[in-house]
Amino acid sequence: MGAREIDVFVICASDEIERGGARAFSLSRFDASGETRPFPIVVIRTHGNDYVGYVNACPHDGVWLNIGSGDFFTQDRAFLKCGRHGATFEIDSGLCIDGPCNGKNLEPIALAVVDGEVCLCGERLVEDDRPFGAFDDHDETMDIMIHPD
């Protein structure tokens, strides 16, 4: 049998996430039928300098963990939390230890740090073919000029 190539995609530079912090990413991946689907993920950098990743969806009802406040952590930053129902999850395992999905797990994603970049492994992502940095100089608002004529 031949070796199967594993897809590896750079998500961000490893120093873009502070120790004890988390960052959400909105990606797109191909499902089993070849259709593209949204693929929201969260990457956490632990205080021990490890990187952990999960699909950014609460097992209770599928909403983003950071819905509402935009924060991923409990107030003491010891656990991940769901912003809608307050379910709390262990950072290293994704296990829900309190809340409506008690005993269920966040869906893990495979990460690797390669040459200072956090990479997602084993997923078929839709690649963005825009030139790198194509929109870096633009904000998200549109410039509109109104003329009295």
mmCIF file of all heavy atoms in Angstrom, residues 1-55:
data_model
loop_
_atom_site.group_PDB
_atom_site.id
_atom_site.type_symbol
_atom_site.label_atom_id
_atom_site.label_comp_id
_atom_site.label_asym_id
_atom_site.label_seq_id
_atom_site.Cartn_x
_atom_site.Cartn_y
_atom_site.Cartn_z
ATOM 1 N N MET A 1 0.835 -1.189 0.000
ATOM 2 C CA MET A 1 0.000 0.000 0.000
ATOM 3 C C MET A 1 0.875 1.246 0.000
ATOM 4 O O MET A 1 1.843 1.313 0.731
ATOM 5 C CB MET A 1 -0.856 0.033 1.260
ATOM 6 C CG MET A 1 -2.149 -0.650 1.145
ATOM 7 S SD MET A 1 -3.115 -0.229 2.598
ATOM 8 C CE MET A 1 -4.016 -1.715 2.760
ATOM 9 N N GLY A 2 0.471 2.242 -0.761
ATOM 10 C CA GLY A 2 1.198 3.499 -0.794
ATOM 11 C C GLY A 2 0.780 4.396 0.355
ATOM 12 O O GLY A 2 -0.311 4.257 0.911
ATOM 13 N N ALA A 3 1.652 5.305 0.694
ATOM 14 C CA ALA A 3 1.340 6.263 1.759
ATOM 15 C C ALA A 3 0.348 7.293 1.239
ATOM 16 O O ALA A 3 0.464 7.774 0.122
ATOM 17 C CB ALA A 3 2.612 6.936 2.246
ATOM 18 N N ARG A 4 -0.632 7.609 2.037
ATOM 19 C CA ARG A 4 -1.630 8.618 1.684
ATOM 20 C C ARG A 4 -1.121 9.973 2.142
ATOM 21 O O ARG A 4 -0.686 10.130 3.282
ATOM 22 C CB ARG A 4 -2.957 8.303 2.362
ATOM 23 C CG ARG A 4 -4.053 9.279 1.988
ATOM 24 C CD ARG A 4 -5.384 8.864 2.630
ATOM 25 N NE ARG A 4 -6.316 9.961 2.523
ATOM 26 C CZ ARG A 4 -6.494 10.896 3.442
ATOM 27 N NH1 ARG A 4 -5.808 10.868 4.559
ATOM 28 N NH2 ARG A 4 -7.366 11.867 3.276
ATOM 29 N N GLU A 5 -1.198 10.951 1.258
ATOM 30 C CA GLU A 5 -0.761 12.304 1.604
ATOM 31 C C GLU A 5 -1.772 12.949 2.532
ATOM 32 O O GLU A 5 -2.983 12.846 2.316
ATOM 33 C CB GLU A 5 -0.620 13.124 0.326
ATOM 34 C CG GLU A 5 -0.012 14.475 0.552
ATOM 35 C CD GLU A 5 0.225 15.222 -0.751
ATOM 36 O OE1 GLU A 5 0.780 14.622 -1.679
ATOM 37 O OE2 GLU A 5 -0.158 16.394 -0.803
ATOM 38 N N ILE A 6 -1.297 13.615 3.571
ATOM 39 C CA ILE A 6 -2.167 14.295 4.528
ATOM 40 C C ILE A 6 -2.188 15.779 4.187
ATOM 41 O O ILE A 6 -1.135 16.396 4.010
ATOM 42 C CB ILE A 6 -1.686 14.086 5.973
ATOM 43 C CG1 ILE A 6 -1.762 12.606 6.328
ATOM 44 C CG2 ILE A 6 -2.500 14.910 6.958
ATOM 45 C CD1 ILE A 6 -1.190 12.271 7.685
ATOM 46 N N ASP A 7 -3.396 16.340 4.088
ATOM 47 C CA ASP A 7 -3.532 17.774 3.830
ATOM 48 C C ASP A 7 -3.106 18.551 5.062
ATOM 49 O O ASP A 7 -3.525 18.249 6.183
ATOM 50 C CB ASP A 7 -4.985 18.124 3.490
ATOM 51 C CG ASP A 7 -5.437 17.534 2.160
ATOM 52 O OD1 ASP A 7 -4.617 17.541 1.216
ATOM 53 O OD2 ASP A 7 -6.586 17.081 2.072
ATOM 54 N N VAL A 8 -2.256 19.563 4.862
ATOM 55 C CA VAL A 8 -1.794 20.432 5.943
ATOM 56 C C VAL A 8 -1.962 21.870 5.468
ATOM 57 O O VAL A 8 -1.476 22.240 4.408
ATOM 58 C CB VAL A 8 -0.306 20.161 6.288
ATOM 59 C CG1 VAL A 8 0.175 21.114 7.363
ATOM 60 C CG2 VAL A 8 -0.116 18.715 6.730
ATOM 61 N N PHE A 9 -2.680 22.680 6.251
ATOM 62 C CA PHE A 9 -2.939 24.069 5.900
ATOM 63 C C PHE A 9 -2.477 24.988 7.024
ATOM 64 O O PHE A 9 -2.808 24.750 8.188
ATOM 65 C CB PHE A 9 -4.434 24.310 5.654
ATOM 66 C CG PHE A 9 -4.955 23.626 4.424
ATOM 67 C CD1 PHE A 9 -5.484 22.352 4.492
ATOM 68 C CD2 PHE A 9 -4.898 24.261 3.196
ATOM 69 C CE1 PHE A 9 -5.954 21.717 3.360
ATOM 70 C CE2 PHE A 9 -5.364 23.639 2.055
ATOM 71 C CZ PHE A 9 -5.889 22.361 2.134
ATOM 72 N N VAL A 10 -1.756 26.023 6.673
ATOM 73 C CA VAL A 10 -1.329 27.018 7.657
ATOM 74 C C VAL A 10 -2.550 27.831 8.080
ATOM 75 O O VAL A 10 -3.297 28.346 7.238
ATOM 76 C CB VAL A 10 -0.243 27.944 7.072
ATOM 77 C CG1 VAL A 10 0.064 29.080 8.031
ATOM 78 C CG2 VAL A 10 1.015 27.158 6.746
ATOM 79 N N ILE A 11 -2.730 27.949 9.390
ATOM 80 C CA ILE A 11 -3.837 28.731 9.938
ATOM 81 C C ILE A 11 -3.359 30.121 10.350
ATOM 82 O O ILE A 11 -3.978 31.121 10.032
ATOM 83 C CB ILE A 11 -4.476 28.009 11.149
ATOM 84 C CG1 ILE A 11 -4.997 26.629 10.732
ATOM 85 C CG2 ILE A 11 -5.584 28.842 11.765
ATOM 86 C CD1 ILE A 11 -6.064 26.655 9.660
ATOM 87 N N CYS A 12 -2.252 30.186 11.082
ATOM 88 C CA CYS A 12 -1.707 31.470 11.519
ATOM 89 C C CYS A 12 -0.288 31.254 12.039
ATOM 90 O O CYS A 12 0.125 30.122 12.266
ATOM 91 C CB CYS A 12 -2.577 32.099 12.614
ATOM 92 S SG CYS A 12 -2.564 31.211 14.195
ATOM 93 N N ALA A 13 0.423 32.340 12.249
ATOM 94 C CA ALA A 13 1.736 32.257 12.907
ATOM 95 C C ALA A 13 1.513 31.891 14.366
ATOM 96 O O ALA A 13 0.534 32.334 14.991
ATOM 97 C CB ALA A 13 2.472 33.592 12.796
ATOM 98 N N SER A 14 2.401 31.085 14.917
ATOM 99 C CA SER A 14 2.209 30.612 16.291
ATOM 100 C C SER A 14 2.198 31.746 17.310
ATOM 101 O O SER A 14 1.525 31.659 18.327
ATOM 102 C CB SER A 14 3.281 29.583 16.663
ATOM 103 O OG SER A 14 4.570 30.137 16.526
ATOM 104 N N ASP A 15 2.889 32.848 17.024
ATOM 105 C CA ASP A 15 2.917 33.960 17.977
ATOM 106 C C ASP A 15 1.717 34.902 17.848
ATOM 107 O O ASP A 15 1.605 35.868 18.590
ATOM 108 C CB ASP A 15 4.230 34.733 17.884
ATOM 109 C CG ASP A 15 4.454 35.359 16.520
ATOM 110 O OD1 ASP A 15 3.616 35.201 15.611
ATOM 111 O OD2 ASP A 15 5.505 36.027 16.358
ATOM 112 N N GLU A 16 0.805 34.613 16.926
ATOM 113 C CA GLU A 16 -0.404 35.435 16.793
ATOM 114 C C GLU A 16 -1.433 35.155 17.885
ATOM 115 O O GLU A 16 -2.395 35.895 18.035
ATOM 116 C CB GLU A 16 -1.058 35.228 15.422
ATOM 117 C CG GLU A 16 -0.296 35.878 14.290
ATOM 118 C CD GLU A 16 -1.004 35.731 12.959
ATOM 119 O OE1 GLU A 16 -2.255 35.696 12.929
ATOM 120 O OE2 GLU A 16 -0.308 35.642 11.948
ATOM 121 N N ILE A 17 -1.232 34.069 18.616
ATOM 122 C CA ILE A 17 -2.120 33.736 19.727
ATOM 123 C C ILE A 17 -1.284 33.795 20.996
ATOM 124 O O ILE A 17 -0.268 33.111 21.116
ATOM 125 C CB ILE A 17 -2.737 32.337 19.558
ATOM 126 C CG1 ILE A 17 -3.491 32.239 18.229
ATOM 127 C CG2 ILE A 17 -3.673 32.025 20.736
ATOM 128 C CD1 ILE A 17 -3.953 30.836 17.895
ATOM 129 N N GLU A 18 -1.699 34.622 21.944
ATOM 130 C CA GLU A 18 -0.937 34.762 23.184
ATOM 131 C C GLU A 18 -1.130 33.529 24.063
ATOM 132 O O GLU A 18 -2.125 32.814 23.944
ATOM 133 C CB GLU A 18 -1.362 36.014 23.933
ATOM 134 C CG GLU A 18 -2.800 35.962 24.414
ATOM 135 C CD GLU A 18 -3.278 37.263 25.029
ATOM 136 O OE1 GLU A 18 -2.924 38.333 24.531
ATOM 137 O OE2 GLU A 18 -4.019 37.176 26.024
ATOM 138 N N ARG A 19 -0.148 33.273 24.940
ATOM 139 C CA ARG A 19 -0.283 32.167 25.890
ATOM 140 C C ARG A 19 -1.534 32.384 26.727
ATOM 141 O O ARG A 19 -1.788 33.480 27.210
ATOM 142 C CB ARG A 19 0.933 32.083 26.799
ATOM 143 C CG ARG A 19 2.128 31.467 26.122
ATOM 144 C CD ARG A 19 3.264 31.307 27.114
ATOM 145 N NE ARG A 19 4.462 30.899 26.409
ATOM 146 C CZ ARG A 19 5.275 29.953 26.833
ATOM 147 N NH1 ARG A 19 5.037 29.348 27.978
ATOM 148 N NH2 ARG A 19 6.334 29.625 26.135
ATOM 149 N N GLY A 20 -2.313 31.331 26.871
ATOM 150 C CA GLY A 20 -3.562 31.424 27.616
ATOM 151 C C GLY A 20 -4.673 32.076 26.824
ATOM 152 O O GLY A 20 -5.720 32.397 27.368
ATOM 153 N N GLY A 21 -4.481 32.241 25.517
ATOM 154 C CA GLY A 21 -5.478 32.888 24.666
ATOM 155 C C GLY A 21 -6.074 31.935 23.649
ATOM 156 O O GLY A 21 -5.671 30.778 23.527
ATOM 157 N N ALA A 22 -7.042 32.434 22.918
ATOM 158 C CA ALA A 22 -7.709 31.649 21.884
ATOM 159 C C ALA A 22 -8.078 32.563 20.726
ATOM 160 O O ALA A 22 -8.249 33.775 20.910
ATOM 161 C CB ALA A 22 -8.967 30.990 22.441
ATOM 162 N N ARG A 23 -8.216 31.959 19.569
ATOM 163 C CA ARG A 23 -8.592 32.729 18.389
ATOM 164 C C ARG A 23 -9.488 31.880 17.501
ATOM 165 O O ARG A 23 -9.227 30.699 17.275
ATOM 166 C CB ARG A 23 -7.339 33.152 17.638
ATOM 167 C CG ARG A 23 -7.622 34.082 16.506
ATOM 168 C CD ARG A 23 -6.363 34.740 16.018
ATOM 169 N NE ARG A 23 -6.646 35.374 14.744
ATOM 170 C CZ ARG A 23 -5.754 35.645 13.829
ATOM 171 N NH1 ARG A 23 -4.483 35.374 14.046
ATOM 172 N NH2 ARG A 23 -6.089 36.202 12.707
ATOM 173 N N ALA A 24 -10.548 32.497 17.002
ATOM 174 C CA ALA A 24 -11.493 31.814 16.116
ATOM 175 C C ALA A 24 -11.088 32.035 14.665
ATOM 176 O O ALA A 24 -10.556 33.083 14.298
ATOM 177 C CB ALA A 24 -12.902 32.360 16.343
ATOM 178 N N PHE A 25 -11.365 31.028 13.836
ATOM 179 C CA PHE A 25 -11.126 31.107 12.401
ATOM 180 C C PHE A 25 -12.349 30.556 11.685
ATOM 181 O O PHE A 25 -12.909 29.545 12.100
ATOM 182 C CB PHE A 25 -9.892 30.292 11.998
ATOM 183 C CG PHE A 25 -8.622 30.793 12.623
ATOM 184 C CD1 PHE A 25 -8.194 30.309 13.846
ATOM 185 C CD2 PHE A 25 -7.861 31.766 11.990
ATOM 186 C CE1 PHE A 25 -7.027 30.773 14.432
ATOM 187 C CE2 PHE A 25 -6.697 32.243 12.577
ATOM 188 C CZ PHE A 25 -6.275 31.745 13.796
ATOM 189 N N SER A 26 -12.767 31.226 10.616
ATOM 190 C CA SER A 26 -13.886 30.764 9.802
ATOM 191 C C SER A 26 -13.324 30.213 8.504
ATOM 192 O O SER A 26 -12.843 30.967 7.663
ATOM 193 C CB SER A 26 -14.856 31.906 9.519
ATOM 194 O OG SER A 26 -15.444 32.348 10.710
ATOM 195 N N LEU A 27 -13.385 28.906 8.370
ATOM 196 C CA LEU A 27 -12.863 28.222 7.197
ATOM 197 C C LEU A 27 -14.012 27.563 6.444
ATOM 198 O O LEU A 27 -15.155 27.559 6.912
ATOM 199 C CB LEU A 27 -11.846 27.160 7.631
ATOM 200 C CG LEU A 27 -10.731 27.622 8.576
ATOM 201 C CD1 LEU A 27 -9.897 26.430 9.030
ATOM 202 C CD2 LEU A 27 -9.865 28.667 7.914
ATOM 203 N N SER A 28 -13.709 26.978 5.319
ATOM 204 C CA SER A 28 -14.664 26.167 4.564
ATOM 205 C C SER A 28 -13.989 24.855 4.236
ATOM 206 O O SER A 28 -12.813 24.824 3.880
ATOM 207 C CB SER A 28 -15.069 26.857 3.260
ATOM 208 O OG SER A 28 -15.812 28.015 3.502
ATOM 209 N N ARG A 29 -14.738 23.752 4.363
ATOM 210 C CA ARG A 29 -14.179 22.444 4.037
ATOM 211 C C ARG A 29 -15.148 21.677 3.154
ATOM 212 O O ARG A 29 -16.337 21.980 3.103
ATOM 213 C CB ARG A 29 -13.837 21.645 5.284
ATOM 214 C CG ARG A 29 -15.028 21.166 6.074
ATOM 215 C CD ARG A 29 -14.597 20.289 7.226
ATOM 216 N NE ARG A 29 -15.713 20.098 8.159
ATOM 217 C CZ ARG A 29 -15.628 19.401 9.255
ATOM 218 N NH1 ARG A 29 -14.498 18.811 9.593
ATOM 219 N NH2 ARG A 29 -16.662 19.273 10.052
ATOM 220 N N PHE A 30 -14.604 20.673 2.486
ATOM 221 C CA PHE A 30 -15.419 19.795 1.661
ATOM 222 C C PHE A 30 -15.979 18.685 2.535
ATOM 223 O O PHE A 30 -15.265 18.101 3.355
ATOM 224 C CB PHE A 30 -14.569 19.171 0.540
ATOM 225 C CG PHE A 30 -14.099 20.169 -0.478
ATOM 226 C CD1 PHE A 30 -12.807 20.655 -0.434
ATOM 227 C CD2 PHE A 30 -14.952 20.616 -1.482
ATOM 228 C CE1 PHE A 30 -12.361 21.570 -1.381
ATOM 229 C CE2 PHE A 30 -14.508 21.528 -2.423
ATOM 230 C CZ PHE A 30 -13.215 22.015 -2.375
ATOM 231 N N ASP A 31 -17.282 18.373 2.371
ATOM 232 C CA ASP A 31 -17.858 17.244 3.092
ATOM 233 C C ASP A 31 -17.698 15.982 2.251
ATOM 234 O O ASP A 31 -17.085 16.006 1.174
ATOM 235 C CB ASP A 31 -19.316 17.516 3.491
ATOM 236 C CG ASP A 31 -20.271 17.639 2.306
ATOM 237 O OD1 ASP A 31 -19.894 17.293 1.162
ATOM 238 O OD2 ASP A 31 -21.410 18.079 2.524
ATOM 239 N N ALA A 32 -18.256 14.872 2.700
ATOM 240 C CA ALA A 32 -18.091 13.588 2.020
ATOM 241 C C ALA A 32 -18.658 13.604 0.597
ATOM 242 O O ALA A 32 -18.173 12.877 -0.267
ATOM 243 C CB ALA A 32 -18.748 12.480 2.839
ATOM 244 N N SER A 33 -19.665 14.444 0.353
ATOM 245 C CA SER A 33 -20.269 14.501 -0.982
ATOM 246 C C SER A 33 -19.553 15.483 -1.905
ATOM 247 O O SER A 33 -19.943 15.636 -3.058
ATOM 248 C CB SER A 33 -21.745 14.879 -0.866
ATOM 249 O OG SER A 33 -21.876 16.227 -0.431
ATOM 250 N N GLY A 34 -18.525 16.163 -1.394
ATOM 251 C CA GLY A 34 -17.797 17.125 -2.213
ATOM 252 C C GLY A 34 -18.336 18.544 -2.141
ATOM 253 O O GLY A 34 -17.811 19.447 -2.777
ATOM 254 N N GLU A 35 -19.384 18.754 -1.353
ATOM 255 C CA GLU A 35 -19.954 20.086 -1.166
ATOM 256 C C GLU A 35 -19.112 20.853 -0.151
ATOM 257 O O GLU A 35 -18.525 20.264 0.748
ATOM 258 C CB GLU A 35 -21.396 19.992 -0.656
ATOM 259 C CG GLU A 35 -22.347 19.323 -1.605
ATOM 260 C CD GLU A 35 -22.653 20.183 -2.813
ATOM 261 O OE1 GLU A 35 -22.803 21.410 -2.657
ATOM 262 O OE2 GLU A 35 -22.721 19.625 -3.922
ATOM 263 N N THR A 36 -19.090 22.178 -0.276
ATOM 264 C CA THR A 36 -18.373 22.984 0.700
ATOM 265 C C THR A 36 -19.307 23.365 1.842
ATOM 266 O O THR A 36 -20.476 23.647 1.628
ATOM 267 C CB THR A 36 -17.772 24.253 0.072
ATOM 268 O OG1 THR A 36 -18.813 25.033 -0.499
ATOM 269 C CG2 THR A 36 -16.753 23.901 -0.992
ATOM 270 N N ARG A 37 -18.764 23.348 3.033
ATOM 271 C CA ARG A 37 -19.524 23.665 4.241
ATOM 272 C C ARG A 37 -18.691 24.595 5.118
ATOM 273 O O ARG A 37 -17.467 24.480 5.165
ATOM 274 C CB ARG A 37 -19.828 22.398 5.045
ATOM 275 C CG ARG A 37 -20.648 21.374 4.313
ATOM 276 C CD ARG A 37 -22.127 21.756 4.332
ATOM 277 N NE ARG A 37 -22.903 20.749 3.639
ATOM 278 C CZ ARG A 37 -23.613 20.988 2.551
ATOM 279 N NH1 ARG A 37 -23.649 22.181 2.038
ATOM 280 N NH2 ARG A 37 -24.306 20.038 1.986
ATOM 281 N N PRO A 38 -19.347 25.486 5.864
ATOM 282 C CA PRO A 38 -18.608 26.312 6.829
ATOM 283 C C PRO A 38 -17.911 25.409 7.843
ATOM 284 O O PRO A 38 -18.426 24.358 8.221
ATOM 285 C CB PRO A 38 -19.695 27.144 7.498
ATOM 286 C CG PRO A 38 -20.847 27.122 6.549
ATOM 287 C CD PRO A 38 -20.775 25.794 5.843
ATOM 288 N N PHE A 39 -16.730 25.847 8.255
ATOM 289 C CA PHE A 39 -15.928 25.070 9.198
ATOM 290 C C PHE A 39 -15.298 26.033 10.203
ATOM 291 O O PHE A 39 -14.142 26.425 10.084
ATOM 292 C CB PHE A 39 -14.863 24.282 8.429
ATOM 293 C CG PHE A 39 -14.051 23.328 9.260
ATOM 294 C CD1 PHE A 39 -14.647 22.423 10.123
ATOM 295 C CD2 PHE A 39 -12.671 23.315 9.149
ATOM 296 C CE1 PHE A 39 -13.891 21.527 10.869
ATOM 297 C CE2 PHE A 39 -11.899 22.424 9.890
ATOM 298 C CZ PHE A 39 -12.513 21.532 10.740
ATOM 299 N N PRO A 40 -16.093 26.469 11.208
ATOM 300 C CA PRO A 40 -15.548 27.380 12.220
ATOM 301 C C PRO A 40 -14.705 26.600 13.218
ATOM 302 O O PRO A 40 -15.116 25.549 13.711
ATOM 303 C CB PRO A 40 -16.804 27.945 12.882
ATOM 304 C CG PRO A 40 -17.817 26.842 12.749
ATOM 305 C CD PRO A 40 -17.502 26.153 11.441
ATOM 306 N N ILE A 41 -13.511 27.101 13.502
ATOM 307 C CA ILE A 41 -12.639 26.437 14.471
ATOM 308 C C ILE A 41 -12.143 27.446 15.500
ATOM 309 O O ILE A 41 -12.203 28.653 15.274
ATOM 310 C CB ILE A 41 -11.434 25.737 13.800
ATOM 311 C CG1 ILE A 41 -10.483 26.756 13.159
ATOM 312 C CG2 ILE A 41 -11.901 24.686 12.794
ATOM 313 C CD1 ILE A 41 -9.151 26.164 12.695
ATOM 314 N N VAL A 42 -11.653 26.917 16.603
ATOM 315 C CA VAL A 42 -10.997 27.737 17.616
ATOM 316 C C VAL A 42 -9.657 27.083 17.927
ATOM 317 O O VAL A 42 -9.568 25.859 18.071
ATOM 318 C CB VAL A 42 -11.853 27.900 18.898
ATOM 319 C CG1 VAL A 42 -12.247 26.569 19.503
ATOM 320 C CG2 VAL A 42 -11.128 28.767 19.919
ATOM 321 N N VAL A 43 -8.623 27.905 17.968
ATOM 322 C CA VAL A 43 -7.286 27.442 18.323
ATOM 323 C C VAL A 43 -6.917 28.094 19.647
ATOM 324 O O VAL A 43 -7.011 29.313 19.795
ATOM 325 C CB VAL A 43 -6.251 27.801 17.231
ATOM 326 C CG1 VAL A 43 -4.848 27.382 17.663
ATOM 327 C CG2 VAL A 43 -6.636 27.157 15.895
ATOM 328 N N ILE A 44 -6.530 27.259 20.610
ATOM 329 C CA ILE A 44 -6.176 27.722 21.949
ATOM 330 C C ILE A 44 -4.687 27.495 22.153
ATOM 331 O O ILE A 44 -4.170 26.418 21.826
ATOM 332 C CB ILE A 44 -6.960 26.942 23.037
ATOM 333 C CG1 ILE A 44 -8.468 27.104 22.840
ATOM 334 C CG2 ILE A 44 -6.550 27.382 24.431
ATOM 335 C CD1 ILE A 44 -9.140 25.884 22.326
ATOM 336 N N ARG A 45 -4.006 28.495 22.679
ATOM 337 C CA ARG A 45 -2.603 28.336 23.083
ATOM 338 C C ARG A 45 -2.602 28.270 24.597
ATOM 339 O O ARG A 45 -2.978 29.231 25.275
ATOM 340 C CB ARG A 45 -1.767 29.513 22.594
ATOM 341 C CG ARG A 45 -0.292 29.377 22.901
ATOM 342 C CD ARG A 45 0.471 30.528 22.292
ATOM 343 N NE ARG A 45 1.901 30.448 22.579
ATOM 344 C CZ ARG A 45 2.770 31.394 22.236
ATOM 345 N NH1 ARG A 45 2.365 32.478 21.587
ATOM 346 N NH2 ARG A 45 4.036 31.258 22.538
ATOM 347 N N THR A 46 -2.194 27.143 25.132
ATOM 348 C CA THR A 46 -2.236 26.950 26.585
ATOM 349 C C THR A 46 -1.112 27.724 27.259
ATOM 350 O O THR A 46 -0.170 28.175 26.600
ATOM 351 C CB THR A 46 -2.110 25.454 26.940
ATOM 352 O OG1 THR A 46 -0.806 25.004 26.586
ATOM 353 C CG2 THR A 46 -3.181 24.616 26.252
ATOM 354 N N HIS A 47 -1.228 27.842 28.567
ATOM 355 C CA HIS A 47 -0.160 28.502 29.330
ATOM 356 C C HIS A 47 1.146 27.719 29.215
ATOM 357 O O HIS A 47 2.224 28.283 29.329
ATOM 358 C CB HIS A 47 -0.567 28.675 30.797
ATOM 359 C CG HIS A 47 -1.644 29.699 30.984
ATOM 360 N ND1 HIS A 47 -1.420 31.049 30.868
ATOM 361 C CD2 HIS A 47 -2.965 29.553 31.261
ATOM 362 C CE1 HIS A 47 -2.546 31.709 31.066
ATOM 363 N NE2 HIS A 47 -3.499 30.830 31.300
ATOM 364 N N GLY A 48 1.048 26.400 28.970
ATOM 365 C CA GLY A 48 2.228 25.566 28.785
ATOM 366 C C GLY A 48 2.792 25.618 27.375
ATOM 367 O O GLY A 48 3.686 24.869 27.032
ATOM 368 N N ASN A 49 2.229 26.487 26.533
ATOM 369 C CA ASN A 49 2.681 26.732 25.164
ATOM 370 C C ASN A 49 2.346 25.604 24.191
ATOM 371 O O ASN A 49 3.022 25.417 23.189
ATOM 372 C CB ASN A 49 4.175 27.054 25.108
ATOM 373 C CG ASN A 49 4.512 27.912 23.905
ATOM 374 O OD1 ASN A 49 3.701 28.715 23.450
ATOM 375 N ND2 ASN A 49 5.706 27.740 23.364
ATOM 376 N N ASP A 50 1.296 24.850 24.484
ATOM 377 C CA ASP A 50 0.774 23.860 23.552
ATOM 378 C C ASP A 50 -0.384 24.484 22.793
ATOM 379 O O ASP A 50 -1.002 25.452 23.261
ATOM 380 C CB ASP A 50 0.288 22.617 24.303
ATOM 381 C CG ASP A 50 1.424 21.859 24.974
ATOM 382 O OD1 ASP A 50 2.491 21.711 24.340
ATOM 383 O OD2 ASP A 50 1.237 21.427 26.125
ATOM 384 N N TYR A 51 -0.708 23.913 21.640
ATOM 385 C CA TYR A 51 -1.827 24.398 20.833
ATOM 386 C C TYR A 51 -2.875 23.296 20.762
ATOM 387 O O TYR A 51 -2.560 22.142 20.472
ATOM 388 C CB TYR A 51 -1.361 24.789 19.432
ATOM 389 C CG TYR A 51 -0.486 26.013 19.460
ATOM 390 C CD1 TYR A 51 0.869 25.921 19.753
ATOM 391 C CD2 TYR A 51 -1.021 27.279 19.242
ATOM 392 C CE1 TYR A 51 1.677 27.039 19.811
ATOM 393 C CE2 TYR A 51 -0.224 28.407 19.300
ATOM 394 C CZ TYR A 51 1.128 28.274 19.588
ATOM 395 O OH TYR A 51 1.917 29.396 19.651
ATOM 396 N N VAL A 52 -4.122 23.662 21.050
ATOM 397 C CA VAL A 52 -5.242 22.745 21.047
ATOM 398 C C VAL A 52 -6.312 23.355 20.144
ATOM 399 O O VAL A 52 -6.524 24.576 20.176
ATOM 400 C CB VAL A 52 -5.811 22.562 22.478
ATOM 401 C CG1 VAL A 52 -6.976 21.598 22.495
ATOM 402 C CG2 VAL A 52 -4.726 22.119 23.441
ATOM 403 N N GLY A 53 -6.996 22.523 19.375
ATOM 404 C CA GLY A 53 -8.024 23.055 18.493
ATOM 405 C C GLY A 53 -9.295 22.237 18.523
ATOM 406 O O GLY A 53 -9.272 21.015 18.727
ATOM 407 N N TYR A 54 -10.413 22.946 18.325
ATOM 408 C CA TYR A 54 -11.729 22.317 18.290
ATOM 409 C C TYR A 54 -12.569 22.985 17.215
ATOM 410 O O TYR A 54 -12.340 24.153 16.862
ATOM 411 C CB TYR A 54 -12.453 22.477 19.637
ATOM 412 C CG TYR A 54 -11.728 21.842 20.790
ATOM 413 C CD1 TYR A 54 -11.006 22.610 21.688
ATOM 414 C CD2 TYR A 54 -11.738 20.460 20.964
ATOM 415 C CE1 TYR A 54 -10.318 22.034 22.736
ATOM 416 C CE2 TYR A 54 -11.045 19.868 22.012
ATOM 417 C CZ TYR A 54 -10.339 20.662 22.892
ATOM 418 O OH TYR A 54 -9.651 20.086 23.927
ATOM 419 N N VAL A 55 -13.566 22.248 16.743
ATOM 420 C CA VAL A 55 -14.600 22.876 15.938
ATOM 421 C C VAL A 55 -15.315 23.837 16.877
ATOM 422 O O VAL A 55 -15.636 23.489 18.018
ATOM 423 C CB VAL A 55 -15.575 21.826 15.355
ATOM 424 C CG1 VAL A 55 -16.741 22.505 14.650
ATOM 425 C CG2 VAL A 55 -14.841 20.888 14.402
#
